[in-house]
Amino acid sequence: MDLKDKVVILTGANRIGQDVARTLLAAGAKLAISYFNHKPDLNLTGEILYVQADLSNADQAVSTVAQTVHRFGRVDALVHMAAIYKRTPWTSVNEADWNENMNTIAKSAFLMSRAFSQRAEAGKIVLISDWSVQSQPYRDYLPYNAAKAAVEGLTKSLAKELAPKFTVNCVAPGPMLQPPDLSEAENREVLKNTPLGKWGGEHEVTRAIMYFLESDFTTGQILAVDGGRSIA
């Protein structure tokens, strides 16, 4: 798909999402960017619609797509990046933690994919997982791990359900951006366990997303962009 003048819904435009937004705009796309509470200050130029919504609510997911179509007259792609990442040790994890992760990550992916596919004639869906849930789930993040694993299952199921008019794929990032509170010892541990020995940077995820948006013969795939962590 040539992205020039195509309309893309981008959910979650913080951190890596900012680079995705800039790259999509540079490719000539028009963007609808959803946010939960605070409108992001992205300093972007281009045709952009900002939509405040709780995407784990079915009506608000439908409304997000409807507002996009009302503004631009069409919708062609969904890049769903909205997520949370909270430590939940097994000794204290509770039902609220489970519901928050599943709703924010997995349920919203389902609702947005459904709402998008019901309004678009054809198009692309790109979801975001995490390299770790495939083989090395993070300790103390059980609800997060389960929600991201659900996204991978959703990707494959949607790819079958929505073919041949839609492609559905998933990017599973690894160590992309070094957290500001990471100690030097922890940083060395990350690099030691990453075969390529470095942090990937946000644009590596963007490049994977762009591939899935531009490819017309790839669907149902999970692409780990992880510097080799998944084989370490």
Side-chain angles (χ1 to χ4, degrees):
M1 182 173 75
D2 182 352
L3 288 167
K4 183 169 177 55
D5 294 324
K6 296 299 191 297
V7 178
V8 181
I9 297 175
L10 173 63
T11 72
N14 294 319
R15 290 167 59 83
I16 292 174
Q18 294 184 36
D19 188 72
V20 175
R22 285 192 295 267
T23 303
L24 287 170
L25 290 169
K30 303 172 184 179
L31 289 187
I33 297 176
S34 76
Y35 63 97
F36 182 51
N37 280 324
H38 305 290
K39 180 179 177 181
D41 184 13
L42 303 178
N43 192 28
L44 299 173
T45 57
E47 294 192 60
I48 306 170
L49 168 69
Y50 290 95
V51 180
Q52 183 176 11
D54 174 1
L55 301 180
S56 67
N57 177 288
D59 290 339
Q60 293 188 42
V62 169
S63 177
T64 298
V65 178
Q67 290 181 62
T68 302
V69 173
H70 180 75
R71 168 69 178 273
F72 298 114
R74 58 186 293 167
V75 63
D76 302 285
L78 166 67
V79 178
H80 185 69
M81 305 186 73
I84 57 172
Y85 184 69
K86 294 182 179 179
R87 185 172 179 268
T88 51
W90 174 248
T91 53
S92 60
V93 67
N94 54 43
E95 184 178 3
D97 296 323
W98 176 269
N99 289 339
E100 182 181 24
N101 279 270
M102 294 302 292
N103 288 343
T104 304
I105 296 171
K107 184 181 179 183
S108 68
F110 160 68
L111 291 176
M112 282 301 297
S113 296
R114 184 178 66 173
F116 165 73
S117 64
Q118 289 174 341
R119 291 300 300 265
E121 295 182 4
K124 314 285 184 177
I125 297 174
V126 182
L127 306 178
I128 304 296
S129 176
D130 192 304
W131 76 276
S132 67
V133 302
Q134 298 175 7
S135 59
Q136 302 177 48
Y138 302 128
R139 188 182 183 91
D140 292 336
Y141 286 88
L142 189 152
Y144 171 85
N145 294 333
K148 286 295 189 180
V151 169
E152 296 198 354
L154 179 66
T155 297
K156 295 176 183 180
S157 295
L158 283 172
K160 282 192 173 184
E161 297 290 347
L162 298 179
K165 292 186 176 181
F166 295 85
T167 66
V168 186
N169 294 286
C170 180
V171 179
M176 310 313 299
L177 298 174
Q178 181 177 341
D181 58 348
L182 198 70
S183 70
E184 184 54 37
E186 290 171 325
N187 181 56
R188 288 195 298 268
E189 186 68 16
V190 171
L191 299 182
K192 175 185 175 183
N193 292 314
T194 304
L196 293 186
K198 60 182 179 181
W199 294 85
E202 66 268 26
H203 199 62
E204 289 296 327
V205 174
T206 300
R207 290 173 67 186
I209 291 171
M210 295 297 287
Y211 167 73
F212 283 140
L213 291 175
E214 292 170 348
S215 173
D216 293 322
F217 199 63
T218 305
T219 196
Q221 300 304 302
I222 314 295
L223 176 58
V225 183
D226 65 355
R229 285 297 294 270
S230 53
I231 59 168

